[in-house]
Structure formats: C-alpha cells, structure tokens
Amino acid sequence: MGLVVQKYGGSSVADAEGIKRVAKRIVEAKKNGNQVVVIVSAMGDTTDELIDLAEQVSPMPAGREFDMLLTAGERISMALLAMAIKNLGHEAQSFTGSQAGVITDSVHNKARIIDVTPGRIRESIDQGNIAIVAGFQGVSADKKDITTLGRGGSDTTAVALAAALDAEVCEIYTDVDGVFTADPRVVKKARKIDWISFEDMLELAASGSKVLLHRCVEYARRYNIPIHVRSSFSGLQGTWVSSKPIEQGDKKVEQAIISGVAHDTSEAKITVVGVPDKPGEAAAIFRAIADAEINIDMVVQNVSAASTGLTDISFTLPKTEGRKAIDALERNRGGIGFDSLRYDDQIGKISLVGAGMKTNPGVTADFFTALSDAGVNIELISTSEIRISVVTRKDDVAEAVRAVHTAFGLDSDTDEAVVYGGTGR
Ligand code: ADP
Ligand code: ASP
Ligand code: MG
C-alpha cells in the first residue's frame, strides 16, 4: 500500500461545490488502495480577506495575533473537507498544523519549519482514516504559539509532511495544469513543462512564479521528494519537479535551455538618498534592515557625485515589509547618516530562468534586446548563474513578459493555457 500526500490550494476549494469535487478525488486515491494525507489551504481568497480585516482594525497588527487570525482560514476548509469525505462514506479526520506536528521557529508571519513529528497523522491513517491537515501553519518550538509559514505556505506544509511520512511523491493540486513557461494568466501561449529540475524551479519560484513556493521547492530538494504539480479540475498529467528527468514512453525528457519567464509585482523599491560614500555605510543600512527581520532582494549603489561625496543606495523588498523597513531606517538615521528615503511600490520584476544560460553567452543580450524592442525601460539588473532579472515600471510587466516569452521561442503553437479557477489575487 502506498502513501499519497496531496495538497489542494485555495482556488480548488473556493466554495462548497469545490470542496465536494475535491473530496471525490481524494476518495478515489483512497479507493485505489493508498493511505492518503491531504493538506488544504483556506477557501478562495479567505486569507486576503482576513488580512484586509486585520488592517481595518490595526495598521501594524502584532505578529502573534495576526497568525492566530490567518490560521482560522485553513481550519474552516480542513473541517469542511473532512465532513464532505465522511458524507461520501469514508472516514476522515482533520488536524491543525500544531496537531499534525509541524514545529517551527517563532518568527511570526514567515516561520520556518524546524521539525515535523507526525505521530497523530500516522496513527490516524493506520486506523484507516484519510487525514486532512491545515496547511500554512505550525506551532513554535519555544513559546508554543501558533505561527504561519508565509503566503503560499501550504505548499511547504505538504512537502514537509511528505518527507516526514516518507511518501514517494507530493502532489500539488492547483487551478492550472502544471508549471508553465510563464504565468498562464499573463501569457495565453505559455507551454506546460513536463519536467523541470529543482534548481530551475527554485529560481522560477524565487522570481515570483507563485505556482510553487520557493521554500517548498528548497525543502523538496533537500529531502529529494519529487513534486507533481497538476490541476484539481482536470485529469491531465501535470509537471514533475525532481532531481532527474522523467521518462516519457521510452524517451527521456530533456533539460530545456530556457525553462521560463517569471514576473513579480509584489515588491517595492526603497532608495536611501544622500549616503556618505565611505566604508561601513552599506553595512549600517542593511544591518538595520536585517535586525528588523526583513529579507531584501536586489541592491544597487549609484556612483557617488565627486562634488558631494554622497551616493544613493536602492534595494527591493516585499511590499508587505515596506513600512517596517522605512521605520527601521528612520530609527537608525543618526547612526547611518542619509538625507532622505524614497519609497516606490510601482515596480515589477521580470526574470528569465534556465540552466542553459551557463553555456549560451547570447542569452543576456537577447533578453535585453527583447525588452528594448518592447520599449521597456530597465531600472535594476541582477543575475545568478541560471537567471537574469530586471526591475521595470509595474505597468510594463505584462507586455515585457510576453515579449521575452516570444523572443525566446517559448510560445506554444498549438494549445492555449487553461486557467480553471482563482481570481489571480
Ligand atoms: P493555489 O491556490 O492552488 O495555491 P496559487 O494561486 O498559489 O494556487 O498558484 C497558482 C497560480 O500560479 C496560477 O493560477 C497562475 O496564475 C500562477 N502562476 C505564476 N507563474 C506560473 C507558472 N510559471 N506556471 C503556472 N502557474 C503560474
Ligand atoms: N492560505 C494561505 C495563503 O493564501 C496559504 C496557502 O494558500 O498556501 O497564502
Ligand atoms: Mg499557492
């Protein structure tokens, strides 16, 4: 008997009909002779609605209470899903993240899983139940407070439980047929990828392809858990994310030169204006940001004007951390020394990802040519071995993604990508 771990995202359980549809699918897996553990997200846009609600009562809610609120979303869907399964004549039990043994550090709103002790889940499935686990949440090791894993965190819960339960595969069910060469909501001609390496998927996820969360892919790579991303609305094969290419019939799927184009409009840019151009200044700025537990993405420092000896330093960070970062810098203004701060949340990032970049020197030039042909102005650039990213105006992002997708020959000449549900929020 195999053990199957399945995760269903919010758009797959957006309403009562969705929950009943998913329940049938889960029961099928059980009837095929498997032990089944299901991780479920909050219904539809529930998490966003809870965040809006919190902001109405407090502009900067305390992390502990914020997490307590957000985890309620997953508790609703886990209980409803267990009820729907029981209604189909099968035994199911729901568990919170804490009950399922998801132990985290105590960084509220973006806690990291440090251990998984799924004794109760094992016991439940050994008794013949289908176990339903609330995604995106855990309990902190030290204070025993409820934590959340960051937006999209149910993906990480799923892989972490798959690893702890020694499952062969972790199935991620969502509202598109797999991982595509670009977001199908933006590029209708995006192509479904049959297989992608952990490395390329990590870069896509880190660059904003929210179909899988970055931390989930990191976790899967560390424990070598293959992920199968597929639609909960169709019966099609999806995308395999794993260390080795899959076989299709008698042929191996090849590693693509370019895996895809990712975009991200969830970041903002802060410019620290008028920083003295002397050693230790960048260190002081980023120490203040790090002490506030804020992760930054790209950094650039301008050449200083010789006459003033002052320079500007810009960096990007999640918009959700914008206010906290500005507060942290203002608090340390005396120690750092700068003239002013500029905050810009009208930016977007476009990234091209592919292992083939290492050996194809023309890729960077072609990327910039495609952007310039589309009339897109570049504000920041960063690269890794297998990725190039640029920051542009937010309004240019969709056009830029399509232009780059076409320029690299990624457009599908047969099918249009299907988006089955979700609001794209
Ligand atoms: P879920 O609620 O199932 O977790 P998400 O909204 O988090 O779903 O992720 C699925 C969405 O990810 C898709 O609807 C799609 O708009 C978006 N997406 C972004 N980039 C990609 C990509 N490269 N391939 C597939 N989907 C993508
Ligand atoms: N419900 C959470 C969110 O919307 C977690 C998840 O869906 O994975 O971010
Ligand atoms: Mg998601």
Side-chain angles (χ1 to χ4, degrees):
M1 188 164 38
L3 191 156
V4 177
V5 172
Q6 302 186 330
K7 177 252 168 178
Y8 292 89
S11 48
S12 297
V13 292
D15 51 22
E17 278 318 305
I19 289 176
K20 289 199 271 186
R21 185 174 49 79
V22 163
K24 278 198 202 126
R25 217 174 167 128
I26 295 167
V27 165
E28 278 314 306
K30 173 81 177 157
K31 279 196 197 150
N32 288 338
N34 298 297
Q35 290 191 308
V36 185
V37 177
V38 175
I39 288 71
V40 69
S41 292
M43 296 170 69
D45 291 332
T46 301
T47 308
D48 291 291
E49 287 154 13
L50 291 173
I51 292 172
D52 291 347
L53 202 54
E55 278 167 1
Q56 285 172 42
V57 297
S58 163
M60 279 242 262
R64 182 184 186 280
E65 304 314 323
F66 198 55
D67 279 352
M68 211 50 144
L69 175 72
L70 296 196
T71 52
E74 269 70 12
R75 284 181 81 131
I76 295 173
S77 43
M78 75 181 196
L80 289 171
L81 189 53
M83 289 175 199
I85 292 171
K86 276 174 181 274
N87 194 47
L88 296 174
H90 288 259
E91 288 308 316
Q93 284 186 326
S94 63
F95 298 90
T96 64
S98 167
Q99 288 176 319
V102 180
I103 317 289
T104 72
D105 62 20
S106 51
V107 183
H108 283 292
N109 308 339
K110 52 179 178 191
R112 273 185 182 272
I113 298 177
I114 52 178
D115 196 12
V116 183
T117 52
R120 288 193 69 181
I121 302 299
R122 178 71 76 188
E123 202 181 303
S124 177
I125 55 177
D126 283 348
Q127 286 166 359
N129 296 300
I130 294 168
I132 314 288
V133 179
F136 168 63
Q137 54 179 274
V139 60
S140 66
D142 51 359
K143 298 199 190 113
K144 306 281 178 281
D145 277 331
I146 297 301
T147 52
T148 60
L149 309 177
R151 297 305 307 273
S154 300
D155 294 346
T156 316
T157 308
V159 169
L161 273 164
L165 292 165
D166 209 13
E168 261 164 41
V169 49
C170 178
E171 295 185 321
I172 303 274
Y173 286 92
T174 184
D175 54 13
V176 289
D177 281 313
V179 180
F180 284 72
T181 46
D183 185 344
R185 281 178 212 274
V186 174
V187 182
K188 287 280 153 249
K189 296 216 148 275
R191 263 191 285 134
K192 188 177 84 190
I193 300 169
D194 293 322
W195 168 78
I196 182 168
S197 66
F198 283 132
E199 284 67 30
D200 278 22
M201 191 63 232
L202 265 178
E203 291 281 0
L204 280 178
S207 308
S209 296
K210 69 168 184 164
V211 62
L212 281 184
L213 194 74
H214 179 246
R215 276 192 187 167
C216 134
V217 186
E218 242 173 20
Y219 212 101
R221 180 172 64 166
R222 184 165 356 125
Y223 292 95
N224 200 19
I225 304 286
I227 302 176
H228 186 190
V229 183
R230 56 195 308 192
S231 167
S232 73
F233 298 80
S234 80
L236 297 175
Q237 273 283 312
T239 302
W240 284 87
V241 187
S242 60
S243 52
K244 293 259 160 33
I246 52 160
E247 314 261 333
Q248 269 190 344
D250 52 3
K251 75 172 196 316
K252 251 196 175 155
V253 176
E254 295 288 329
Q255 166 98 53
I257 293 176
I258 298 297
S259 283
V261 189
H263 72 278
D264 189 355
T265 50
S266 69
E267 293 191 342
K269 180 171 76 174
I270 291 179
T271 304
V272 189
V273 181
V275 181
D277 195 1
K278 61 176 176 28
E281 282 299 312
I285 290 172
F286 294 110
R287 174 58 53 208
I289 296 294
D291 287 348
E293 288 177 335
I294 297 168
N295 296 322
I296 56 156
D297 183 11
M298 293 189 195
V299 181
V300 282
Q301 173 168 351
N302 289 347
V303 181
S304 71
S307 55
T308 60
L310 296 177
T311 184
D312 296 345
I313 294 181
S314 298
F315 62 91
T316 61
L317 76 175
K319 269 183 211 165
T320 47
E321 309 273 35
R323 184 190 290 260
K324 210 160 82 176
I326 296 282
D327 284 354
L329 290 170
E330 286 293 1
R331 256 199 322 277
N332 290 281
R333 190 176 189 139
I336 304 169
F338 57 82
D339 286 343
S340 59
L341 296 173
R342 243 186 276 142
Y343 183 73
D344 177 0
D345 61 3
Q346 294 302 305
I347 61 161
K349 185 171 72 170
I350 299 129
S351 306
L352 184 70
V353 171
M357 257 178 228
K358 280 190 257 189
T359 45
N360 285 270
V363 170
T364 309
D366 292 346
F367 181 60
F368 291 134
T369 305
L371 291 169
S372 107
D373 289 349
V376 174
N377 190 42
I378 298 168
E379 299 181 17
L380 303 179
I381 301 170
S382 87
T383 60
S384 82
E385 240 192 340
I386 60 169
R387 174 187 52 79
I388 322 170
S389 304
V390 294
V391 166
T392 66
R393 287 294 91 203
K394 190 178 172 188
D395 289 343
D396 287 339
V397 165
E399 191 48 45
V401 171
R402 288 190 281 265
V404 171
H405 196 266
T406 304
F408 280 89
L410 298 172
D411 288 356
S412 157
D413 32 36
T414 47
D415 330 302
E416 279 219 339
V418 185
V419 177
Y420 297 92
T423 58
R425 189 170 171 184

